[in-house]
Amino acid sequence: MNWLIQLITGESVSHTLLVLSLVISTGLALGRLSLFGIQLGIAGVLFAGLAFGHFGITIDAEIMHFLREFGLILFVYAIGLQVGPSFVNSFFRYGVQLNIMAAGIVVLGALITLGISFFGHIEVPVAVGLFSGATTNTPSLAAAQEALRGFADGDNPVLKLPGLGYAVAYPFGIIGIILSMLLVKRFFKVNIEAETESFNRIQQQNAHRPVWKDLTVENPNLNNLSIAHIPFFEAMDVVVTRILHNDQVSLASADSHLFLGDSIRLVGDPEKLEQLKILIGTDSKFNLKDFPQNLLAKRIVVTNKDAVGKSVGELRTLYSVTISRIQRPDVEFTPSNSVHVHFGDELYVIGGKEAMDRIEAVLGNSLETLSHPQIVPIFIGIALGVLLGSWPFYLPGIPSAIKLGLAGGPLIVAIILSRVASWGTMTWHLPKSSNIILKDIGIVLFLACVGLHSGDQFVETLINGDGFYWMACSVLITLLPLLIVAFIAKAYYQVNYLSLCGLLAGSMTDPPALAFANNFSSSPAVSIAYATVYPLVMILRIMAAQLIVLFFFS
């Protein structure tokens, strides 16, 4: 048994791997336990680490420091790749109002945190930990600890304080979000069915997903004109895919001519198709798909690196096909000839069998390739992120240099690279499954190390220290911003209650609260609002935690 005791209490590599594996597996199991329908989730790893650390089962401090930093880098880099493609689109296209309200919740939470720190005599490292735990946002905890390391060395006890504050505040952070939803529902006497019907009605009115429409050519000015010489198709982002002429359906191309009495199939925005009826003619009495034809329609995924960057016009011309729609992770649209395809794009292609075989070979259409990540771009991106995070810069009023650190640098680089899509033969696309694995491995390593590092003080702080006082203060950080914004949103802006619940859950980046809110209705309203505000909120919370430390810790 001596070997087992030595393995548990020693400082070997085997000891490190054993302790980490036990902390992570125990924590994940703890996170799945449900109390009144509430789960700790991945934060259970932190509490498992605190328990192990309390009983003196820990790992070498230098190894712990490396693993914590490495886990942090993996996590924030994966977060950046995840939120990057939808960051700009979600803000400007899907909900400026929702994002402004979510940003208001973040700002109010930061201001309340600073007020509690100054007037409640709580140290800034503890306060920023309360800010992260009360809002159930682990990346902001990572950012705060990274910022603190610019003021304190690796052995300084102050580095343990954010983790302690986070652990104390986290449980009510989850409960508080759900409680705020129930309070708003009761105060405004919300009828869930009425809110669902209202949301569905508005969604139908605002739908912009491409649809098809068959029209009859009745405008004599279009007679015997080629599609290339009819300017309004390109100007309105509408594609002509098929032409019915003399009872024969053929594929439309730029050189195809239209004649009076022809029926044509158009693909584009519903409103624009209705407008084109004035310029072309009335709805066709035929459905062009009902006619015998040699045309095929297929969804093809771009997985060949040589095809990345080619324009839609080039593909249409070279391979005699029609590309009527492109679907990307956050949007589906009708492409103009100038649009360039990205790795992972799903193209809806129409053409003859031979043409379809040729373009499929060019585009790739390999699910295996799509699901297999490129390793080299990951580490190039991380290297660039570390360089950016280590670059010192100065701000007015701050005497020392500021760095984005290992939380900010990789995050910003990942967001930028996710928008670039590809660089030569390398693509920054990371399959969803790979992103989840990278993100989860990073966060469990980080939380395990934070728990082990702070575990020797947690119970003492909670029982004999200021733990319960901190917990009471964290309630204010959780509830006040949520209730203030929620009441303004419902009373003055008449925000749909289901969307409001998604806003509240998204403003805290909290999946358990999202799951709770989804139980109200089968409508996608909650999830849409959550996804709309999530990218901006994630970035703001990381920045807020760092700024609190940089400007107010001394």
Side-chain angles (χ1 to χ4, degrees):
M1 292 294 291
N2 289 336
W3 66 270
L4 182 58
I5 296 174
Q6 186 177 2
L7 180 63
I8 295 175
T9 59
E11 294 185 356
S12 64
V13 174
S14 300
H15 164 78
T16 300
L17 291 174
L18 177 64
V19 171
L20 277 176
S21 299
L22 288 175
V23 169
I24 292 170
S25 56
T26 303
L28 292 176
L30 176 65
R32 296 183 67 178
L33 297 179
S34 179
L35 181 64
F36 302 111
I38 299 173
Q39 297 177 328
L40 288 175
I42 209 162
V45 176
L46 173 65
F47 289 94
L50 290 170
F52 275 69
H54 173 70
F55 290 106
I57 304 174
T58 184
I59 62 178
D60 180 78
E62 293 297 324
I63 296 177
M64 185 191 300
H65 178 72
F66 166 75
L67 291 173
R68 182 176 58 201
E69 301 306 303
F70 183 62
L72 169 63
I73 292 171
L74 291 181
F75 178 66
V76 297
Y77 185 75
I79 285 285
L81 291 179
Q82 176 189 351
V83 305
S86 58
F87 175 54
V88 177
N89 288 338
S90 68
F91 187 88
F92 290 105
R93 180 169 181 174
Y94 296 110
V96 173
Q97 185 184 67
L98 289 180
N99 275 283
I100 291 175
M101 291 178 181
I105 291 175
V106 177
V107 172
L108 282 173
L111 292 176
I112 292 170
T113 299
L114 291 174
I116 287 173
S117 176
F118 290 131
F119 299 108
H121 306 291
I122 295 177
E123 296 177 77
V124 170
V126 175
V128 78
L130 296 177
F131 172 73
S132 301
T135 56
T136 69
N137 189 267
T138 308
S140 62
L141 170 65
Q145 288 202 316
E146 173 63 22
L148 272 175
R149 273 188 284 276
F151 299 93
D153 56 41
D155 298 326
N156 196 315
V158 77
L159 295 176
K160 297 183 180 183
L161 296 179
L164 293 173
Y166 178 93
V168 166
Y170 188 89
F172 186 81
I174 298 176
I175 299 171
I177 304 170
I178 295 173
L179 180 61
S180 64
M181 294 178 186
L182 296 176
L183 287 174
V184 172
K185 181 175 182 290
R186 184 174 183 83
F187 183 85
F188 288 99
K189 299 178 181 179
V190 173
N191 184 319
I192 298 296
E193 292 184 1
E195 296 291 312
T196 302
E197 292 177 4
S198 173
F199 175 81
N200 291 337
R201 183 172 60 255
I202 294 173
Q203 283 292 101
Q204 290 175 0
Q205 293 173 353
N206 297 333
H208 291 286
R209 183 171 176 168
V211 298
W212 60 267
K213 180 178 286 291
D214 294 337
L215 298 180
T216 302
V217 179
E218 298 174 342
N219 184 349
N221 294 319
L222 302 180
N223 190 45
N224 202 23
L225 277 183
S226 68
I227 292 176
H229 287 87
I230 303 176
F232 48 71
F233 290 133
E234 180 81 10
M236 300 180 74
D237 290 330
V238 170
V239 176
V240 184
T241 60
R242 310 179 193 194
I243 300 174
L244 173 63
H245 179 72
N246 292 335
D247 297 328
Q248 295 291 324
V249 174
S250 61
L251 181 70
S253 68
D255 298 327
S256 299
H257 286 249
L258 303 183
F259 296 92
L260 288 176
D262 286 354
S263 290
I264 57 176
R265 170 153 295 186
L266 305 173
V267 176
D269 184 273
E271 293 182 3
K272 293 179 180 179
L273 294 182
E274 284 297 321
Q275 295 171 8
L276 281 176
K277 290 172 66 174
I278 302 174
L279 301 172
I280 297 173
T282 58
D283 290 325
S284 174
K285 62 181 180 181
F286 303 109
N287 184 335
L288 271 62
K289 269 198 170 181
D290 293 339
F291 284 76
Q293 52 191 290
N294 296 319
L295 298 179
L296 301 175
K298 188 174 184 178
R299 291 185 178 271
I300 301 176
V301 181
V302 180
T303 58
N304 185 352
K305 301 182 190 66
D306 295 333
V308 173
K310 291 184 180 294
S311 69
V312 169
E314 180 182 357
L315 294 173
R316 285 170 174 164
T317 303
L318 291 177
Y319 301 100
S320 300
V321 296
T322 293
I323 301 172
S324 60
R325 278 165 284 177
I326 293 180
Q327 184 167 357
R328 287 179 181 162
D330 58 342
V331 66
E332 183 177 6
F333 61 96
T334 303
S336 65
N337 286 329
S338 60
V339 170
H340 293 265
V341 299
H342 296 173
F343 186 88
D345 280 355
E346 188 173 310
L347 278 56
Y348 190 79
V349 184
I350 304 169
K353 185 178 184 310
E354 292 184 2
M356 293 289 279
D357 291 340
R358 290 199 306 272
I359 195 168
E360 184 173 7
V362 169
L363 296 178
N365 202 33
S366 171
L367 295 180
E368 181 180 355
T369 302
L370 185 65
S371 61
H372 184 76
Q374 291 189 38
I375 303 299
V376 173
I378 293 176
F379 284 96
I380 289 178
I382 289 175
L384 293 173
V386 171
L387 288 173
L388 178 61
S390 303
W391 191 348
F393 60 95
Y394 295 85
L395 292 177
I398 300 180
S400 59
I402 293 177
K403 299 178 182 178
L404 292 173
L406 297 181
L411 176 70
I412 292 175
V413 166
I415 291 173
I416 294 172
L417 292 180
S418 70
R419 304 290 298 180
V420 172
S422 62
W423 183 10
T425 60
M426 291 190 299
T427 176
W428 307 109
H429 170 84
L430 196 62
K432 184 177 180 180
S433 58
S434 301
N435 186 283
I436 291 173
I437 291 174
L438 195 67
K439 183 173 61 176
D440 286 354
I441 289 177
I443 194 60
V444 297
L445 283 175
F446 173 79
L447 289 175
C449 292
V450 169
L452 291 171
H453 185 59
S454 305
D456 59 341
Q457 295 183 7
F458 179 70
V459 174
E460 178 69 19
T461 301
L462 192 62
I463 296 176
N464 300 321
D466 297 326
F468 288 104
Y469 173 59
W470 294 355
M471 192 178 294
C473 292
S474 71
V475 171
L476 299 178
I477 300 174
T478 300
L479 281 182
L480 286 182
L482 290 173
L483 292 177
I484 291 172
V485 172
F487 274 77
I488 292 174
K490 193 64 183 169
Y492 292 98
Y493 294 101
Q494 305 299 314
V495 174
N496 184 281
Y497 176 73
L498 298 177
S499 297
L500 180 58
C501 288
L503 163 68
L504 298 180
S507 68
M508 301 292 192
T509 62
D510 187 64
L514 172 65
F516 176 84
N518 274 326
N519 291 327
F520 286 136
S521 171
S522 59
S523 169
V526 176
S527 297
I528 290 174
Y530 182 94
T532 298
V533 303
Y534 180 93
L536 178 66
V537 165
M538 181 64 75
I539 293 170
L540 288 180
R541 290 212 175 276
I542 290 173
M543 293 175 59
Q546 287 185 307
L547 291 175
I548 288 173
V549 173
L550 291 174
F551 282 94
F552 299 99
F553 177 71
S554 58

